Amino acid sequence: MLAIFPDTDTPELIEGAALPSHAPDTLAGSYVARLASDGTRKLVTNAASHMLLLRTGRVDLPVTVDDGTLGHSYVSSPHSAYVLYARDEIALLGLGRMRFAAEAVLKTLSALLRTMRLNRAVHLDNWLLSTNLHGTWDGAGLAGMRELLAPRFPDHFLIIRSLDPWTCPALLDAVRHDGWTLLPARQVWVTDDLATAWLPRGQTRADAKALRRSGLQTGQARNLSRDDCERIADLYHQLYVGRYSAINPIFTPDFIQAAATIGLLTFLVARDAQGAIMAFSALRSAGGVGTVPLMGYDMTRPQSEGLYRIASYMAAEAAMSAGLRFHGSSGAAEFKRSRGARGMIEYMAVDARHLPTPRRASLALLASGLNAFMKPMLERNGW
């Protein structure tokens, strides 16, 4: 079904609950409508965002509104991104004596973010995934969107996550030109050409060998059963929530089913002889870039079976077959470097020009500190 857009570049903000009768005929519209009708927590249990659709000309963007609650996933909570997730990372890294200094820094940072109420936030183009691919949106209409949202949410920061000069250079330039404040967020791992940088690598050949040796049957899961959705949600939870951090988004089987049905994610699975999913990757693509916001494998199996390597291989192979550049998200730096990826600093853009002076000053202080200390640390350590 073709979307019918109004012949105007004037931005329009549509309540998610109004979309089923309005025009849920774009991917963003369908996604916002589903989140609004089911309730965010039914799909992403540690997010409680109010869902809106922002439409300008031929651009549809999901918008999340959060009112300051602490402890939710970093996909909608800046405090969680900079403090709670970092605290979990410190525990995993085992920094020794440096851990006490790092925790002291996080305590100070947490106090600043709480004081400035950064969690009172409206996120533009937020899909509640670890990486928001902005696709072909080049920042067109950004100033009008800001001018619409600021008076509507006079006590909220305006935020755009997942900005970098590799996936969305035009949008990053537009954000700078429009006067937003850029905060370094994390280091991500990207591959320009999988056929030349990933495929010939020795590690990649070893991954392919592990897949052949496993005897697992791989392919795209076009019709996920309820059991499949529950299995995928559990495998993801084992890895990202159980091993790494409860601040990662917690996706339910209903989310898996919805993401597959509306075409947000393509699920690649590796099944054993009995048909059980042993590993999976969920590929998201937009604007010629692919990324994998969900991945998982059966962590009760021996590491020697290489199920993580198999899940990663399936994703990269599918992206290469589709002619996509590959965004490998953050983490597992050595694993990704050895397979041809290179590091890239990702930013969060924040606008506070409509907020009181103390909160604007706090944002400027935060930006100064993160750019002076966090960005060099990310680049130096490969985190």
Side-chain angles (χ1 to χ4, degrees):
M1 182 176 180
L2 295 176
I4 301 175
F5 293 91
D7 293 326
T8 177
D9 290 332
T10 302
E12 179 186 9
L13 199 58
I14 306 167
E15 283 287 341
L19 281 168
S21 61
H22 189 283
D25 47 7
T26 63
L27 179 60
S30 297
Y31 187 55
V32 170
R34 181 63 185 270
L35 283 163
S37 64
D38 287 7
T40 310
R41 284 188 179 278
K42 188 177 180 182
L43 302 182
V44 188
T45 60
N46 56 349
S49 306
H50 180 65
M51 300 301 304
L52 302 167
L53 184 72
L54 185 57
R55 171 166 287 181
T56 302
R58 295 186 176 276
V59 175
D60 268 11
L61 306 178
V63 172
T64 60
V65 181
D66 289 86
D67 291 330
T69 304
L70 298 173
H72 289 158
S73 173
Y74 64 83
V75 296
S76 60
S77 167
H79 179 272
S80 294
Y82 284 109
V83 177
L84 301 185
Y85 193 84
R87 189 172 291 160
D88 289 341
E89 285 285 292
I90 288 171
L92 288 170
L93 289 171
L95 298 178
R97 292 180 180 179
M98 289 180 59
R99 177 173 179 173
F100 298 105
E103 288 177 346
V105 170
L106 287 182
K107 186 176 181 179
T108 302
L109 178 60
S110 178
L112 174 62
L113 299 189
R114 286 169 178 259
T115 299
M116 65 189 288
R117 293 183 293 154
L118 187 59
N119 266 17
R120 287 189 68 80
V122 175
H123 284 79
L124 287 72
D125 205 16
N126 188 20
W127 298 79
L128 298 176
L129 301 173
S130 56
T131 300
N132 288 319
L133 291 181
H134 300 291
T136 58
W137 182 40
D138 59 2
L142 180 61
M145 296 175 186
R146 173 175 52 76
E147 291 167 359
L148 172 69
L149 291 169
R152 174 76 179 268
F153 300 100
D155 196 42
H156 289 64
F157 289 90
L158 306 182
I159 298 177
I160 307 174
R161 295 173 49 237
S162 306
L163 297 173
D164 67 73
W166 188 81
T167 60
C168 54
L171 177 56
L172 186 59
D173 286 345
V175 162
R176 287 190 175 111
H177 181 74
D178 195 45
W180 295 56
T181 298
L182 290 176
L183 307 179
R186 59 178 184 163
Q187 182 156 224
V188 297
W189 300 94
V190 302
T191 307
D192 300 285
D193 184 350
L194 289 164
T196 60
W198 171 78
L199 187 61
R201 296 267 176 159
Q203 292 283 9
T204 302
R205 292 194 297 271
D207 295 342
K209 183 177 180 180
L211 174 56
R212 292 193 299 270
R213 190 172 60 241
S214 72
L216 298 173
Q217 297 298 310
T218 63
Q220 179 179 341
R222 299 184 182 279
N223 295 295
L224 291 172
S225 67
R226 183 65 185 182
D227 286 345
D228 287 339
C229 293
E230 291 176 353
R231 175 67 167 170
I232 287 170
D234 177 59
L235 295 181
Y236 167 85
H237 195 281
Q238 287 182 38
L239 178 61
Y240 281 91
V241 182
R243 171 173 288 184
Y244 292 125
S245 175
I247 299 303
N248 279 307
I250 300 175
F251 299 112
T252 68
D254 288 328
F255 175 89
I256 305 302
Q257 187 70 69
T261 300
I262 69 176
L264 175 67
L265 299 173
T266 297
F267 288 90
L268 311 162
V269 299
R271 298 181 187 268
D272 66 11
Q274 288 71 46
I277 298 173
M278 303 304 292
F280 83 94
S281 293
L283 183 66
R284 164 88 166 116
S285 62
V289 176
T291 192
V292 182
L294 285 76
M295 179 187 290
Y297 63 95
D298 190 335
M299 295 183 65
T300 68
R301 303 300 303 164
Q303 189 175 355
S304 59
E305 293 183 5
L307 292 176
Y308 175 74
R309 294 163 61 191
I310 288 169
S312 300
Y313 181 86
M314 287 193 300
E317 184 182 45
M320 183 182 68
S321 297
L324 301 171
R325 297 185 298 149
F326 195 62
H327 185 301
S329 194
S330 62
E334 185 53 39
F335 181 93
K336 294 166 184 176
R337 270 197 300 250
S338 68
R339 289 157 177 79
R342 59 188 176 91
M344 181 76 56
I345 298 298
E346 182 182 274
Y347 296 89
M348 176 188 295
V350 184
D351 188 79
R353 282 169 284 186
H354 57 294
L355 298 179
T357 299
R359 296 177 75 189
R360 297 199 309 270
S362 296
L363 177 61
L365 177 63
L366 176 64
S368 177
L370 293 178
N371 279 289
F373 299 105
M374 179 180 173
K375 182 179 176 182
M377 184 174 62
L378 291 173
E379 293 172 331
R380 182 172 60 251
N381 296 300
W383 295 341

